[in-house]
């Protein structure tokens, strides 16, 4: 398969994933696989003297191992992990104060939308929502109090792609202290590294592709600025939204196959999308790997490919969507994405049900829009499954 015109993959990624932070010599046992350190407290040689660890909330050897590896994968200096993706977001927003202003992607992840509108605003922080595929709108939206730009790209479920370099440049021309944060959950550091395009911070729901096995809820932030790192490290401990050492072990282990997994997600999702293009009941496909995607040029400029998540619209309505989804046998009808198993869902009544109806309509999230997360099963089986579900839904 050709590289589809995407940014060339940076050499050395898989080596970093396997080795950075994993030096056996840092453990007394010289363990090749990092041990799971569950101890919540650490012995001190003398009062108020410690050997790097005091208490499990403020630091843990297994967590540090994972954080170091995550930072290196994004080409960042610092990595911090949190109890969930939204826990990372909560902690990052904790860097702001009453009266500050955030500009966020308009079709931002539903949970981020809920956190911003129903929690963060109550603390006196103002939030504007913007379509970042139109960067010219930024000039009018920036205020004296703007402190943070929250970009998600590609978005969900419409897979809109925002130009990270252009937005960062524009924002910094107004005020270089405004922090540009990119939620990189949909692509992972294997397919997109926002710090290399001018962003200040990358945020992850590690729950999705980074862990990739649908068995851990965790989040992360990656950044280069040492002052902000100190503040965020303080908040990680002060707010206490930290992950468990066992979960850190699992995510650290999953990173070892990240490159392989993403390559396969990329290949399989394109094959499935190309098959869907030929189906008479399919009206539109929203997939950043298809040249028909409205921001394909931007995608090629900043991404080294696309993941396994995309959406399509069919010619039926709610009845056909329900029948289609309940007929699937290899795809599982479920929320979430990014695991080895293929998932399918109906955003209008599932992941995006909490988005107000008017906004849903504006974003085109109708009952005929289905979202797929193409997993790592054999593509022939996935396509056969979709084929029989179409037959059942449109008989
Ligand atoms: C899932 C998700 C989140 C939230 O992460 P959790 O780990 O579920 O808290 C944030 N952003 C995006 C894009 C997501 O898909």
């Amino acid at each position: 398969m050709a590289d589809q015109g995407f940014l060339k993959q940076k050499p050395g990624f898989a080596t970093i994933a396997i080795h950075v932070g994993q030096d056996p010599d840092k453990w007394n046992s010289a363990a090749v696989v990092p041990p799971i350190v569950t101890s919540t407290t650490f012995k001190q040689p003398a009062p108020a003297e410690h050997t790097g660890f005091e208490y499990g909330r403020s630091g843990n050897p297994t967590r540090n191992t994972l954080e170091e590896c995550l930072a290196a994968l994004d080409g960042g200096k610092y990595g911090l992990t949190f109890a969930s993706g939204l826990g990372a977001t909560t902690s990052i927003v904790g860097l702001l104060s009453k009266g500050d202003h955030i500009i966020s992607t308009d079709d931002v992840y539903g949970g981020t939308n809920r956190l911003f509108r129903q929690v963060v605003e109550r603390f006196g922080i103002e939030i504007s929502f913007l379509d970042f595929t139109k960067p010219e709108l930024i000039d009018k939206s920036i205020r004296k109090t703007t402190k943070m730009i929250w970009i998600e790209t590609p978005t969900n479920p419409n897979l809109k792609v925002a130009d990270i370099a252009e937005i960062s440049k524009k924002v910094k021309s107004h005020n270089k202290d405004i922090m540009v944060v990119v939620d990189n959950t949909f692509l992972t550091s294997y397919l997109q590294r926002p710090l290399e395009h001018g962003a200040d911070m990358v945020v992850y729901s590690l729950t999705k592709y980074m862990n990739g096995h649908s068995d851990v809820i965790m989040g992360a932030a990656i950044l280069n600025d040492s002052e902000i790192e100190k503040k965020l490290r303080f908040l990680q401990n002060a707010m206490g939204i930290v992950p468990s050492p066992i979960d850190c072990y699992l995510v650290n282990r999953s990173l070892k196959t990240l490159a392989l997994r993403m390559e396969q997600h990329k290949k399989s999702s394109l094959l499935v999308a190309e098959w869907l293009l030929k189906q008479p009941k399919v009206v539109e496909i929203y997939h950043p790997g298809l040249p028909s995607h409205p921001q394909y040029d931007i995608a090629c400029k900043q991404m080294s490919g696309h993941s396994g998540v995309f959406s399509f619209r069919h010619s039926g309505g709610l009845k056909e969507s329900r029948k289609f989804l309940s007929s699937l046998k290899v795809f599982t009808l479920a929320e979430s994405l990014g695991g080895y198993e293929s998932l399918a869902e109906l955003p209008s009544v599932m992941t995006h049900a909490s988005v107000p109806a008017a906004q849903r309509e504006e974003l085109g999230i109708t009952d005929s829009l289905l979202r797929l997360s193409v997993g790592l099963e054999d593509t022939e089986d996935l396509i056969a499954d979709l084929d029989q579900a179409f037959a059942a839904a449109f008989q």
Side-chain angles (χ1 to χ4, degrees):
M1 195 175 299
D3 63 4
Q4 300 171 262
F6 283 106
L7 194 63
K8 255 179 112 68
Q9 180 58 52
K10 204 168 142 178
F13 186 92
T15 309
I16 293 173
I18 290 172
H19 291 293
V20 172
Q22 324 284 309
D23 181 7
D25 292 332
K26 73 182 186 185
W27 311 101
N28 287 339
S29 61
V32 171
V33 173
I36 307 172
V37 179
T38 54
S39 185
T40 55
T41 189
F42 300 84
K43 184 182 165 189
Q44 307 196 1
E49 260 180 49
H50 62 81
T51 52
F53 299 99
E54 306 158 271
Y55 181 62
R57 175 165 24 75
S58 56
N60 168 284
T62 314
R63 187 172 97 198
N64 286 13
T65 297
L66 169 64
E67 290 180 340
E68 203 180 316
C69 190
L70 287 169
L73 289 175
D74 257 286
K77 280 196 197 139
Y78 308 107
L80 294 92
T81 52
F82 301 89
S84 67
L86 284 177
T89 306
T90 301
S91 307
I92 294 165
V93 171
L95 294 165
L96 304 182
S97 305
K98 191 174 166 187
D100 287 348
H101 174 235
I102 303 174
I103 305 177
S104 162
T105 297
D106 58 352
D107 56 343
V108 71
Y109 172 71
T112 308
N113 188 306
R114 183 176 54 202
L115 174 70
F116 282 169
R117 287 183 191 273
Q118 297 185 40
V119 184
V120 175
E121 281 187 340
R122 283 201 285 110
F123 289 88
I125 293 169
E126 294 185 272
I127 301 149
S128 310
F129 292 88
L130 204 68
D131 179 355
F132 281 128
T133 62
K134 302 187 180 91
E136 64 277 9
L137 298 176
I138 293 171
D139 296 327
K140 271 190 255 154
S141 305
I142 286 195
R143 307 178 191 168
K144 280 206 179 66
T145 53
T146 306
K147 293 283 165 65
M148 192 175 278
I149 306 290
W150 194 274
I151 305 172
E152 198 176 304
T153 180
T155 63
N156 169 22
N158 290 324
L159 283 298
K160 287 196 295 193
V161 173
D163 189 330
I164 300 168
E166 170 155 17
I167 295 169
S168 303
K169 208 168 90 198
K170 221 177 218 320
V171 167
K172 301 287 176 184
S173 75
H174 284 271
N175 177 353
K176 66 171 179 36
D177 293 331
I178 299 176
M179 216 183 300
V180 176
V181 183
V182 176
D183 182 335
N184 203 31
T185 300
F186 265 40
L187 290 177
T188 77
S189 44
Y190 183 69
L191 297 173
Q192 179 169 273
R193 282 174 297 279
L195 299 179
E196 293 173 4
H197 303 293
D200 299 296
M201 198 186 297
V202 186
V203 58
Y204 287 106
S205 168
L206 299 174
T207 313
K208 314 298 168 49
Y209 284 109
M210 294 290 270
N211 182 55
H213 294 68
S214 305
D215 54 3
V216 172
I217 300 272
M218 203 189 296
I222 318 296
L223 69 163
N224 278 323
D225 186 296
S226 61
E227 287 305 306
I228 300 174
E229 190 266 344
K230 277 195 204 92
K231 288 181 189 163
L232 195 57
R233 188 66 72 187
F234 168 81
L235 290 170
Q236 183 193 38
N237 183 43
M239 295 171 91
I241 313 176
V242 294
S244 90
I246 297 173
D247 285 349
C248 290
Y249 166 82
L250 285 170
V251 176
N252 184 65
R253 168 179 157 137
S254 295
L255 292 179
K256 308 299 169 261
T257 55
L258 179 62
L260 285 173
R261 287 187 283 110
M262 296 320 289
E263 276 304 322
Q264 191 59 47
H265 283 297
K266 186 158 80 172
K267 282 189 195 126
S268 297
S269 92
L270 192 63
L271 284 171
V272 172
E274 284 171 344
W275 179 83
L276 282 170
L277 272 179
K278 291 182 280 191
Q279 303 313 303
K281 302 297 180 197
V282 172
V283 181
E284 213 168 350
I285 302 186
Y286 306 88
H287 191 301
L290 296 175
S292 57
H293 186 281
Q295 293 94 35
Y296 187 64
D297 290 351
I298 300 169
C300 285
K301 194 178 71 155
Q302 69 189 17
M303 294 155 54
S304 303
H306 51 80
S307 66
V309 200
F310 69 96
S311 304
F312 69 94
R313 199 180 297 287
H314 59 72
S315 57
L318 184 60
K319 185 169 136 271
E320 286 75 17
S321 284
R322 284 189 181 282
K323 184 73 189 158
F324 182 91
L325 290 170
S326 56
S327 305
L328 291 168
K329 295 183 175 69
V330 183
F331 279 86
T332 301
L333 170 55
E335 297 192 2
S336 198
L337 57 102
Y340 54 72
E341 76 293 356
S342 290
L343 302 177
E345 67 118 358
L346 181 54
S348 64
V349 299
M350 294 172 65
T351 48
H352 291 66
S354 69
V355 177
Q359 200 189 348
R360 254 194 341 253
E361 182 157 2
E362 207 174 292
L363 295 169
I365 305 173
T366 68
D367 293 334
S368 55
L369 183 77
L370 299 177
R371 188 183 81 187
L372 302 181
S373 173
V374 175
L376 304 176
E377 301 93 338
D378 293 295
T379 15
E380 296 77 11
D381 294 332
L382 295 175
I383 288 172
D385 193 32
L386 295 172
D387 199 23
Q388 64 81 24
F390 271 117
F394 291 89
Q395 49 185 296

